[in-house]
Amino acid sequence: LRVESTDAYSGIELKDNGSATLPPLIAALSDDFIFYGGHASARPEIMRMDSSSGSVGIGTASPDTMLHVHKATAGSVTANSNTQLTIENNDHAGLGFLSPNDANSIIYFGDVDDNDVGYINYVHASNSMNFQTNASLAMTIDSSGQVSISSGKLKIGGYSYIGEDLV
């Protein structure tokens, strides 16, 4: 199937004959690929693939990064140039990890030598959070809020505390 136009825009409508709303539309505009949702009076843009940058915008026509999920504008700010994923909102912006009670939710940090040299790991079975650095467990915060440091060493302001009570 080839859809061709004499201007910069062409598209395919996905019409349900039983619906009175404007149908969803898949369109090409100036080499960008755009998905529009169906609605009673307008077609809101849902997602855009920017052909010049290879970026994908969900909720935005101008993605800042490779993937930009935009609920509402955060203001006059753009993402850091080292960022590949942007989540933007005019209120709290969040990233959710949902897993079963007997599984973990993990953010891995890796490099060419070790794909999990560091991580932040929420353990649902014990409701604790682990922090791994240099491929070893460094710290755990348990469900009561107690902090355990695997090396047994704590340094605050240049002073080391080993086996001492901090008051």
Side-chain angles (χ1 to χ4, degrees), residues 110-130:
D111 56 39
V112 295
D113 295 326
D114 188 344
N115 67 1
D116 66 351
V117 70
Y119 66 65
I120 301 171
N121 177 20
Y122 190 84
V123 183
H124 292 282
S126 62
N127 289 321
S128 62
M129 186 168 287
N130 298 325

Side-chain angles (χ1 to χ4, degrees), residues 25-47:
L25 175 69
I26 301 170
L29 175 62
S30 300
D31 297 327
D32 290 349
F33 199 49
I34 307 169
F35 293 84
Y36 295 95
H39 193 268
S41 60
R43 283 195 177 106
E45 183 174 319
I46 296 172
M47 183 172 71

Side-chain angles (χ1 to χ4, degrees), residues 82-95:
N82 292 313
T83 304
Q84 288 83 41
L85 168 65
T86 300
I87 300 171
E88 183 176 356
N89 192 12
N90 65 349
D91 198 359
H92 303 288
L95 177 64

Side-chain angles (χ1 to χ4, degrees), residues 31-163:
D31 297 327
D32 290 349
F33 199 49
I34 307 169
F35 293 84
Y36 295 95
H39 193 268
S41 60
R43 283 195 177 106
E45 183 174 319
I46 296 172
M47 183 172 71
R48 176 181 296 244
M49 296 176 186
D50 186 327
S51 64
S52 64
S53 66
S55 299
V56 174
I58 298 174
T60 179
S62 302
D64 286 347
T65 53
M66 293 296 292
L67 177 58
H68 189 161
V69 180
H70 182 274
K71 183 175 181 183
T73 185
S76 297
V77 62
T78 57
N80 182 284
S81 62
N82 292 313
T83 304
Q84 288 83 41
L85 168 65
T86 300
I87 300 171
E88 183 176 356
N89 192 12
N90 65 349
D91 198 359
H92 303 288
L95 177 64
F97 295 82
L98 303 174
S99 62
N101 291 344
D102 61 349
N104 299 346
S105 296
I106 306 168
I107 300 172
Y108 289 102
F109 303 91
D111 56 39
V112 295
D113 295 326
D114 188 344
N115 67 1
D116 66 351
V117 70
Y119 66 65
I120 301 171
N121 177 20
Y122 190 84
V123 183
H124 292 282
S126 62
N127 289 321
S128 62
M129 186 168 287
N130 298 325
F131 297 83
Q132 174 178 298
T133 60
N134 199 23
S136 296
L137 181 62
M139 183 175 75
T140 299
I141 303 171
D142 71 18
S143 62
S144 69
Q146 291 188 357
V147 177
S148 300
I149 298 174
S150 298
S151 68
K153 299 176 185 175
L154 175 63
K155 191 177 238 185
I156 301 174
Y159 297 96
S160 295
Y161 300 90
I162 303 172

